[in-house]
């Protein structure tokens, strides 16, 4: 019988529950809020963790209390044979949830295979329904493929399909209501995300953030009364309900961060482990994995770092009076792991 997982607490009494796995730093889009440059340096192939290494480190994490894993990137569907990784992870009895965040461009080809391999849930990022805005925001011409990908995820039978939309003033905020209508029409739950000053968002300006308060005001003007959904959860999205029953979420990471209950950490494709989205330093688990055959020793290393965790990156950012981009181009060139597409969104 499987022993109970440990419950490792950090300095703010937050558990280690949620792991985001970036499986590649590459992407087939160039979203203006994530990868605004044309040129990026990719992680060297030899540094990328194999599926077996990922499955092993996830086993260690799950022995310490992690029960939710989300596969992300970069664009995770660019990682070859991703379904094989899903199969390995799905065999871990301690994982209650195994989800994927994707831009959807390659979902038509992969949705069914991923579902069959044991993937439980899919979130597709969708910021606009207008081809010209998609071209301006994602700087590729793939909106039709994304919409077909959403249909493919539905056809594959994924329950609880979610759509994530980063709302940026002057870019896509005119579609606030249309996006909700669309999500409803495809049976998905929409989550609006406040534009964040994460690494990579070098064009970020406070003036471009559409706040949760502004979103709710505009949505109420169009759809009528909105009530909060009362639930106990550590999920970052606050959920709301329209009078017709439509439920949507808002992730107010910028104006109302949820660091005090944050149980998530991130593992990059090359095995760097970060305990906060804004952390400037992380732990090299790749070298540990490749030199340490004893899982118990790996678990000790991970637990020790989690116990020392005091990060509250988004709250610290909120406290700064004049706030610009988190990291400039030079800093990102020095420390590419700060980039959202490397760290895993
Ligand atoms: N490529 C996949 C995708 O776009 O869904 C997965 C990785 S992406 C980094 C994960 C999520 O991060 C996406 O939903 C994206 O919109 C979000 N994201 C990236 N940069 C952001 C920013 N500056 N502010 C808010 N969300 C951001
Ligand atoms: Fe856009 Fe995701 Fe690619 Fe970033 S990683 S550029 S958010 S598709
Ligand atoms: Fe968690 Fe850091 Fe994000 Fe705060 S900023 S919610 S501590 S990852």
């Amino acid at each position: 019988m499987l022993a109970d997982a440990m419950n490792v607490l950090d300095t703010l009494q937050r558990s280690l529950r949620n792991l985001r796995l970036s499986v590649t730093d590459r992407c087939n889009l160039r979203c203006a809020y994530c990868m605004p440059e044309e040129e990026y340096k990719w992680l060297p192939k030899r540094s990328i963790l194999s599926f077996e290494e990922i499955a092993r480190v996830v086993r260690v994490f799950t022995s310490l209390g992690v029960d939710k894993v989300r596969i992300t990137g970069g664009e995770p569907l660019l990682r070859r044979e991703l379904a094989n990784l899903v199969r390995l992870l799905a065999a871990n009895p301690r994982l209650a949830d195994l989800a994927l965040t994707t831009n959807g461009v390659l979902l038509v080809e992969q949705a069914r295979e991923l579902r069959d391999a044991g993937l439980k849930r899919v979130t597709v990022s969708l910021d606009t329904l207008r081809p010209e805005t998609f071209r301006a925001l994602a700087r590729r011409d793939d909106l039709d493929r994304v919409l077909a990908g959403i249909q493919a995820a539905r056809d594959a039978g994924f329950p609880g399909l979610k759509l994530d939309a980063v709302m940026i003033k002057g870019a896509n905020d005119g579609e606030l209501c249309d996006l909700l209508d669309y999500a409803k029409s495809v049976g998905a739950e929409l989550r609006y995300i406040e534009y964040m000053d994460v690494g990579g968002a070098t064009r970020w300006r406070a003036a471009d953030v559409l706040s949760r308060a502004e979103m709710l005001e505009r949505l109420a003007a169009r759809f009528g009364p909105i009530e909060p959904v009362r639930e106990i959860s550590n999920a970052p999205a606050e959920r709301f309900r329209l009078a017709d029953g439509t439920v949507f979420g808002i992730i107010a990471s910028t104006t109302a961060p949820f660091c005090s209950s944050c149980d998530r950490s991130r593992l990059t494709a090359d095995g760097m482990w970060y305990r906060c989205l804004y952390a400037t330093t992380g732990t090299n688990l790749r070298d540990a994995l490749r030199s340490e055959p004893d899982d118990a020793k790996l678990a000790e290393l991970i637990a020790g770092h989690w116990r020392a965790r005091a990060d509250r990156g988004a709250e610290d950012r909120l406290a700064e009076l004049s706030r610009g981009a988190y990291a400039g181009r030079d800093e990102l060139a020095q420390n590419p792991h700060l980039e959202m597409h490397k760290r895993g969104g």
Side-chain angles (χ1 to χ4, degrees), residues 71-341:
I71 298 170
T72 178
E75 174 44 40
L77 299 189
L78 287 177
R79 179 81 188 247
R80 285 175 56 186
E81 317 281 347
L82 185 68
N84 289 344
L85 174 65
V86 168
R87 218 166 279 121
L88 285 178
L89 297 178
N92 182 330
R94 287 197 168 107
L95 265 194
D97 193 15
L98 180 58
L100 170 91
T101 297
T102 170
N103 63 29
V105 174
L106 297 173
L107 256 184
V108 166
E109 292 83 350
Q110 299 187 36
R112 165 62 56 193
E113 196 188 358
L114 291 168
R115 178 87 176 122
D116 291 346
L119 186 68
K120 293 206 165 96
R121 298 188 302 123
V122 171
T123 299
V124 183
S125 299
L126 178 75
D127 305 322
T128 177
L129 298 162
R130 299 179 189 159
E132 66 284 6
T133 308
F134 192 96
R135 273 194 294 275
L137 258 181
R139 297 185 300 134
R140 298 288 185 270
D141 202 5
D142 282 324
L143 178 61
D144 286 347
R145 291 188 59 87
V146 175
L147 298 178
I150 291 168
Q151 186 55 45
R154 298 180 71 197
D155 294 344
F158 283 105
L161 181 65
K162 291 204 171 77
L163 303 179
D164 277 5
V166 179
M167 301 309 303
I168 302 180
K169 278 188 187 167
N172 63 345
D173 59 326
E175 294 183 73
L176 189 79
C177 301
D178 295 351
L179 283 164
L180 190 51
D181 281 333
Y182 171 78
K184 201 170 134 186
S185 75
V186 295
E189 186 170 314
L190 181 66
R191 302 189 309 176
Y192 298 106
I193 306 178
E194 286 182 352
Y195 183 20
M196 294 173 71
D197 60 345
V198 286
T202 46
R203 315 288 202 266
W204 188 91
R205 299 181 319 151
D208 295 337
V209 175
L210 185 71
S211 69
R212 172 183 62 182
E214 288 167 287
M215 291 184 207
L216 287 172
E217 196 180 303
R218 291 195 202 177
L219 289 165
R222 157 84 182 270
F223 295 110
I226 296 173
E227 60 170 25
V229 174
R230 306 229 172 268
E231 56 194 346
I232 299 167
S233 150
N234 269 357
E238 275 174 90
R239 296 166 84 228
F240 300 90
R241 193 181 289 108
L242 302 180
D244 72 357
T246 306
V247 170
F248 64 94
I250 300 184
I251 304 182
S253 325
T254 301
T255 66
F258 39 87
C259 302
S260 59
S261 61
C262 174
D263 58 6
R264 64 179 54 181
S265 65
R266 293 172 160 83
L267 188 70
T268 64
D270 63 344
M272 288 298 295
W273 180 45
Y274 292 94
R275 292 169 287 282
C276 178
L277 195 47
Y278 290 89
T280 49
T281 55
T283 306
N284 182 338
L285 293 184
R286 177 185 70 250
D287 287 354
L289 271 166
R290 291 181 182 173
S291 63
E292 178 54 76
D294 183 353
D295 285 359
K297 292 257 172 58
L298 277 181
E300 251 171 60
L301 172 76
I302 292 170
H305 281 292
W306 188 263
R307 287 192 186 103
R309 177 185 188 244
D311 303 78
R312 313 156 44 245
E315 286 178 1
D316 292 341
R317 294 290 295 156
L318 189 61
E320 286 189 26
L321 287 178
S322 64
R323 189 169 168 187
Y326 177 58
R329 282 174 65 172
D330 290 348
E331 206 178 338
L332 291 171
Q334 293 291 319
N335 189 359
H337 280 86
L338 274 178
E339 299 263 10
M340 184 79 150
H341 72 273

Side-chain angles (χ1 to χ4, degrees), residues 18-77:
N18 231 299
L19 183 66
R20 301 209 152 204
L21 279 179
S22 174
V23 291
T24 178
D25 60 334
R26 292 171 183 258
C27 193
N28 42 7
L29 299 183
R30 286 290 179 278
C31 302
Y33 50 77
C34 178
M35 298 182 76
E37 319 302 336
E38 277 309 326
E39 295 284 322
Y40 286 93
K41 265 202 193 142
W42 309 114
L43 296 171
K45 267 215 171 94
R46 65 179 181 288
S47 74
I48 304 292
L49 298 186
S50 68
F51 289 166
E52 287 70 25
E53 287 172 326
I54 296 175
R56 178 180 169 214
V57 78
V58 167
R59 271 196 306 277
V60 174
F61 272 104
T62 56
S63 74
L64 296 171
V66 164
D67 61 358
K68 294 191 178 83
V69 163
R70 179 171 291 273
I71 298 170
T72 178
E75 174 44 40
L77 299 189

